[in-house]
Amino acid sequence: FNQGAKAIAEQRGMTVGQTPIGSVIEALQYTYNIRLPDVAWEGIWGAASATYVGNATGVVNAVIRNSGFVWTHIEEPILNWRNIPIIPH
């Protein structure tokens, strides 16, 4: 959503927001303006992200504008552990 990252990510492939959990979170946050507490946001989004990257294959196109908790503590470590190449955009 920030700095056009979502549009770029959608052009490069599937986004975590297109997963079942991610789409619910995005609807709450951006469509209905329901701000989740940071702890809930990180926990739920972290679970969605962990599932997403846990099922990733091939090369991952990462569109990162602000490497927050979920990227640095969940997504990137799982991808590195699985030896999935990451292409930053």
Side-chain angles (χ1 to χ4, degrees):
F1 289 73
N2 294 333
Q3 303 170 3
K6 182 180 181 192
I8 294 168
E10 288 172 341
Q11 291 172 352
R12 303 278 191 262
M14 185 174 180
T15 67
V16 71
Q18 293 170 314
T19 66
I21 298 170
S23 64
V24 169
I25 294 168
E26 284 190 358
L28 289 173
Q29 186 83 10
Y30 301 109
T31 303
Y32 300 107
N33 292 321
I34 297 172
R35 176 69 182 136
L36 300 172
D38 288 342
V39 170
W41 176 257
E42 290 173 356
I44 296 168
W45 198 255
S49 293
T51 301
Y52 178 70
V53 298
N55 289 303
T57 59
V59 174
V60 168
N61 291 290
V63 181
I64 306 296
R65 296 296 181 265
N66 179 10
S67 58
F69 177 86
V70 172
W71 172 254
T72 59
H73 289 85
I74 297 170
E75 294 174 340
E76 187 178 32
I78 292 171
L79 291 169
N80 287 333
W81 174 70
R82 296 187 60 228
N83 293 314
I84 301 284
I86 302 166
I87 298 176
H89 294 279

